[in-house]
Every structure is written in C-alpha cells, then in structure tokens.
Amino acid sequence: MTERFDPRTLAARLHSLRQAGRQEATDTFALPADLHQAMEAQNLLTAADHISSNAWKVTVSPQGQAVTAPLYPYAKAVSGADIPWYPGLKFETEIAVRLGGDLPVRSGIPYSRAEVVEAISAVYLGAELLVSAVKESGSVSFLLFVADRLGNSGYVLGPEVEKSVVDTAAGTPLKVTHAGRTIYDGPAQHPKGDVLTWLVDYANDGLRPETSLKAGALITTGTLSGAIELTEPGEIDILLGDIRLSFSVSKA
C-alpha cells in the first residue's frame, strides 16, 4: 500500500469491520510503520469501543517485543457470561493474574520472575475469545494485528485458583467441550512452557506506559490449549485439573 498511514482512519475501519462481524485482507489496509503507530491506532480503537476495564492480554511479537491489548467484552463467569459468536471466532483456555502491587517501569536490574510472582495477588482460570478484523490475523503484519487489539474479542474470568498454578499449570489435564463435542483433551501447554514468560517480558519493557502494570490490573497470560475455532454458537465447559469454567457463546 502506498496510502499514507493515519491511525484514526485505521482505527475507524477496524471498528466498523468488528461491528459488522467482517474481515478484510492485510493488503487492503495502510499499515503502521512501527509499534508506536500501531499502539496509537489501538488506543483509538479502544476509545471507539468505549473500553474502560482494567483487563489486558500480553504477548510477544515475532521480533521479541512484548505487547498488550485490552480484553473486551470482559465478563465474570459467576454472572452468567455470554459472549457474542461470529464466524471465525476462536477460543483459548488461559490463566489470568491480578496484580496486588505495582510493577513500575524500571531501569537497571530487570524484574525477576520471583518479583513478578510476589506482585500477584490472585490467579484465575479464564477463557479468551478471538476474532480479528484482519483475515490473516497477525501472520502477515503483526503491527496491524496489534492495532486490532491483538484479535481479542472477549474474555471470561472464571474461578480463582491456587497461586501455585502459575508454576504447575503446564502438564495439568485439560478438557474442553463446546456444544457437546470435545474440542481439546490433553495436557495444558503454554507456547513458552511458563505461563508468566510474556508478563515478565512486558514488566521489563522500558518502553511500556508508566500507567501499565499497576495494582488491580488483570492480565491474561497466553493459551494453554492453542487457538481452537468455534464453528457454531454453544456452551463451553472447561475442566483444568478439578477446576471448572462454563459459559456460552451466542449468535450476536
């Protein structure tokens, strides 16, 4: 694309595509040139969606740069969570953590994993829903995917679990059923092995906003089941060890 990049134009287009439940190919967009431009567009999209919850996803770009995006719509399973279903919607079982203390941007000695664990006040079983307005998601332009809130399309916070789950989640038996069919049955596996890898990376990112990683923030830490497409609406039931989370995805 030779079109000049404008974060407002990109945010408006992503917003309208999401509202319509549509996707378009990467080569139809003017692309952000760097992470700063991508985050500028993401912030404008967040504003257009009127997102105010202090819940975030964290991951790492192919170049190793830690990035975040807000989780929306955000629901707690105890209140009867119901997330909109769209064609292409994908599902991930995840562990979420709530910070009980601040992790301010630090120069010099990086945060250790133990320091990040110390700042965590609670751990939960959760589920992320994903559908990007970009047909290829982040496989062609990760920066465009960052602008599109990293493809997040909803999050359901389940029951609180023992804090030690951040150390033991990998390898725990995990079974997921959707609309009565088993869609995952095997050990929980995080892409990095350790569910806290990306959060530690983000804590040590000197370019992150000063307002990030404050006490009270909820951060989801990455998939334990891979990303599984949900081909129809229906009830989802997750069993991680003996911890259960159930909710539904319904036609919007």
Side-chain angles (χ1 to χ4, degrees):
M1 296 283 292
T2 53
E3 186 187 338
R4 182 177 167 277
F5 178 76
D6 175 13
R8 290 187 181 281
T9 302
L10 176 57
R13 186 163 171 215
L14 291 171
H15 179 68
S16 67
L17 286 169
R18 279 175 167 267
Q19 293 288 97
R22 289 177 48 231
Q23 297 178 306
E24 292 192 5
T26 301
D27 63 10
T28 68
F29 292 89
L31 302 179
D34 54 32
L35 187 60
H36 174 77
Q37 286 188 349
M39 288 303 299
E40 202 177 349
Q42 186 198 106
N43 291 338
L44 290 163
L45 176 60
T46 298
D49 284 330
H50 305 292
I51 300 171
S52 57
S53 73
N54 192 14
W56 307 86
K57 69 178 291 184
V58 60
T59 188
V60 172
S61 76
Q63 290 74 37
Q65 172 68 48
V67 290
T68 60
L71 299 171
Y72 180 82
Y74 170 75
K76 294 182 179 177
V78 289
S79 57
D82 195 349
I83 297 289
W85 177 86
Y86 295 98
L89 185 72
K90 292 181 180 175
F91 154 90
E92 296 180 350
T93 303
E94 304 197 350
I95 296 296
V97 302
R98 191 174 302 281
L99 297 182
D102 296 350
L103 289 169
V105 176
R106 179 192 274 186
S107 56
I109 300 170
Y111 284 104
S112 66
R113 185 186 189 278
E115 286 177 295
V116 171
V117 170
E118 195 177 333
I120 293 169
S121 60
V123 179
Y124 304 86
L125 177 61
E128 184 182 2
L129 289 309
L130 299 129
V131 62
S132 177
V134 183
K135 198 168 281 183
E136 302 86 356
S137 297
S139 63
V140 177
S141 170
F142 188 78
L143 291 173
L144 181 60
F145 192 54
V146 169
D148 191 33
R149 293 198 292 106
L150 294 169
N152 176 259
S153 191
Y155 195 81
V156 179
L157 187 69
E160 187 171 348
V161 299
E162 293 291 329
K163 190 172 175 179
S164 59
V165 166
V166 297
D167 301 319
T168 62
T172 302
L174 173 62
K175 184 173 183 179
V176 183
T177 60
H178 170 242
R181 296 193 317 275
T182 299
I183 58 172
Y184 187 90
D185 191 359
Q189 299 178 74
H190 188 273
K192 291 295 179 184
D194 177 5
V195 301
L196 294 183
T197 297
W198 292 331
L199 177 54
V200 174
D201 287 347
Y202 188 62
N204 289 316
D205 176 16
L207 300 177
R208 66 181 167 93
E210 293 288 342
T211 53
S212 60
L213 299 186
K214 297 287 191 185
L218 183 90
I219 300 106
T220 194
T221 58
T223 185
L224 298 175
S225 58
I228 304 165
E229 186 165 347
L230 304 178
T231 55
E232 60 181 327
E235 188 82 14
I236 289 180
D237 186 69
I238 303 166
L239 190 62
L240 178 69
D242 58 359
I243 309 294
R244 175 167 259 119
L245 166 57
S246 300
F247 64 97
S248 55
V249 287
S250 304
K251 208 153 197 175

